[in-house]
Amino acid sequence: MTKDDLRIIFMGTPEFAVETLKALVENEYHVVAVVTQPDKPVGRHGSVLQPSAVKQYALEKGLPVLQPEKMKDPVFVEQLRSYQANLQVVVAFRMLPEIVWAMPEYGTFNVHAALLPQYRGAAPINWAVINGETQTGVTTFFLDHDIDTGRIIMQIPFDIPDDADVEYVYDGLMHLGADICLKTLEAIVAADGHPVSVAQENSQLSTLNSQLKPAPKIFKETCEIDWSKTAKRVYDFIRGLSPYPGAWTTLVTPEGKETVLKIFKTRKTGIKTTAEKGAISIEGKTLMVAAVDEWLAIEELQLAGKKRMSARDFLNGMKDMESYIIK
């Protein structure tokens, strides 16, 4: 079997997936079609339709694009079958029904931005940083009935520096995801379509980590900072949501007016405190907030309705900040 024998359908939506699709195209794999989400209404009245990043790239390369509303739609299923793909590659897409993932002769594999079985779910990059992990990675696995539970084909680790935010890890895994996809395709070709794969419960990571950590979808409520946590936990939480969607807290004026304050970057000070959680301290031009054990220095933030700025610039425009509280 050679790479020319593969007829691949690619499925993905965001920028993260484009890097892998680009790798397939540039390495001359035969991508017969691309499946992505329907165009998304944007603008004040939702009157403008914005195509996904994957669709934009696919059209640039002259690839056929399918955008089903429902993955079980019989018209879409027949359209998919008409391309006679013998392999499907999925990156950052929605859950697929069995009629779709089981269609190709060699199955459907997914590129997941975590070292499975850890961090199954929609937001594995965010949760790895939020939980203070020092390492994550990418996994390719065959899809089955449940989310992110299929047999593992290949894994590549990625180190997370203590000062890294989600943007850094996202960029690293985006490129590593493209690399592991190419390596997985090479393994599939070498094994005539049937590479060695391992059940997740028998994987090394499963035996080393008895407690599995999930990676559920993140909502606005998820992003609220809990100042009753340790400074380290708050520090990791903020960088795990920076720059998007952004961790937030509530700034309360001396008069009791409340405003949402997003925080994008902090610094651990190591300075112990017995102050009330959320208390504010100004040391020179440094804005500090009390966690349960230590003061945390705020470095970049954004007040509702304002632009993102340094804490120093923020303090220059504020008066009597120590009479404010954060909750």
Side-chain angles (χ1 to χ4, degrees), residues 6 8-11 16-25 27 29 31 87-91 108-112 138-141 153-156 173-189 195:
L6 290 179
I8 299 171
I9 284 180
F10 182 87
M11 300 184 182
F16 189 92
V18 174
E19 192 68 22
T20 301
L21 177 56
K22 181 180 177 182
L24 296 183
V25 171
N27 284 273
Y29 280 94
V31 179
L87 180 69
Q88 292 176 153
V89 177
V90 181
V91 185
T108 301
F109 77 81
N110 180 267
V111 177
H112 186 72
V138 287
T139 301
T140 50
F141 69 97
I153 308 166
M154 197 174 292
Q155 294 185 309
I156 302 177
L173 295 187
M174 180 172 66
H175 291 94
L176 200 60
D179 291 343
I180 198 172
C181 181
L182 294 178
K183 288 181 171 66
T184 300
L185 289 172
E186 290 168 4
I188 288 172
V189 169

Side-chain angles (χ1 to χ4, degrees), residues 8-302:
I8 299 171
I9 284 180
F10 182 87
M11 300 184 182
T13 295
E15 176 196 21
F16 189 92
V18 174
E19 192 68 22
T20 301
L21 177 56
K22 181 180 177 182
L24 296 183
V25 171
E26 292 182 350
N27 284 273
E28 300 181 341
Y29 280 94
H30 189 191
V31 179
V32 296
V34 171
V35 182
T36 190
Q37 295 276 38
D39 294 357
K40 185 178 180 180
V42 295
R44 189 171 182 180
H45 302 292
S47 56
V48 178
L49 292 178
Q50 176 70 40
S52 72
V54 162
K55 178 181 179 179
Q56 292 178 56
Y57 179 82
L59 292 179
E60 286 174 12
K61 298 301 176 181
L63 300 173
V65 176
L66 308 179
Q67 297 178 272
E69 290 284 350
K70 297 180 180 179
M71 300 300 290
K72 290 183 179 180
D73 181 348
V75 174
F76 165 69
V77 171
E78 286 310 308
Q79 194 176 16
L80 196 66
R81 187 173 282 116
S82 72
Y83 285 99
Q84 298 180 325
N86 51 20
L87 180 69
Q88 292 176 153
V89 177
V90 181
V91 185
F93 197 54
R94 64 174 97 171
M95 186 175 180
L96 303 182
E98 183 174 2
I99 194 171
V100 172
W101 58 256
M103 186 182 295
E105 176 186 2
Y106 303 132
T108 301
F109 77 81
N110 180 267
V111 177
H112 186 72
L115 296 175
L116 292 172
Q118 294 294 350
Y119 296 108
R120 293 169 175 159
I125 303 176
N126 297 93
W127 285 107
V129 181
I130 287 170
N131 289 335
E133 302 288 1
T134 58
Q135 189 180 75
T136 183
V138 287
T139 301
T140 50
F141 69 97
F142 285 115
L143 294 189
D144 63 11
H145 293 90
D146 298 314
I147 297 177
D148 300 335
T149 60
R151 294 179 66 85
I152 292 171
I153 308 166
M154 197 174 292
Q155 294 185 309
I156 302 177
F158 180 85
D159 291 336
I160 306 176
D162 183 63
D163 61 349
D165 62 13
V166 158
E167 186 171 40
Y168 173 90
V169 182
Y170 179 99
D171 288 347
L173 295 187
M174 180 172 66
H175 291 94
L176 200 60
D179 291 343
I180 198 172
C181 181
L182 294 178
K183 288 181 171 66
T184 300
L185 289 172
E186 290 168 4
I188 288 172
V189 169
D192 290 328
H194 303 285
V196 173
S197 60
V198 180
Q200 290 192 27
E201 57 268 26
N202 296 329
S203 72
Q204 182 182 12
L205 284 172
S206 181
T207 56
L208 289 176
N209 301 278
S210 56
Q211 183 177 357
L212 297 183
K213 300 172 185 176
K217 187 175 180 179
I218 289 175
F219 299 94
K220 181 182 177 181
E221 300 75 30
T222 315
C223 301
E224 184 176 10
I225 300 167
D226 181 357
W227 296 99
S228 68
K229 304 285 188 182
T230 65
K232 174 67 165 67
R233 291 285 301 277
V234 175
Y235 171 82
D236 290 336
F237 183 81
I238 290 169
R239 66 192 182 98
L241 295 168
S242 178
Y244 183 82
W248 62 273
T249 191
T250 303
L251 182 66
V252 185
T253 70
E255 297 76 33
K257 182 181 178 181
E258 298 186 353
T259 308
V260 170
L261 183 70
K262 281 192 173 184
I263 301 178
F264 296 99
K265 188 176 181 181
T266 63
R267 174 173 51 82
K268 292 174 287 182
T269 67
I271 303 172
K272 301 294 183 183
T273 181
T274 56
E276 282 288 318
K277 64 176 186 176
I280 291 174
S281 176
I282 312 296
E283 298 290 338
K285 287 295 184 179
T286 301
L287 170 61
M288 297 194 295
V289 180
V292 72
D293 59 343
E294 297 177 359
W295 292 101
L296 197 63
I298 312 300
E299 296 196 335
E300 292 183 21
L301 45 72
Q302 182 178 16

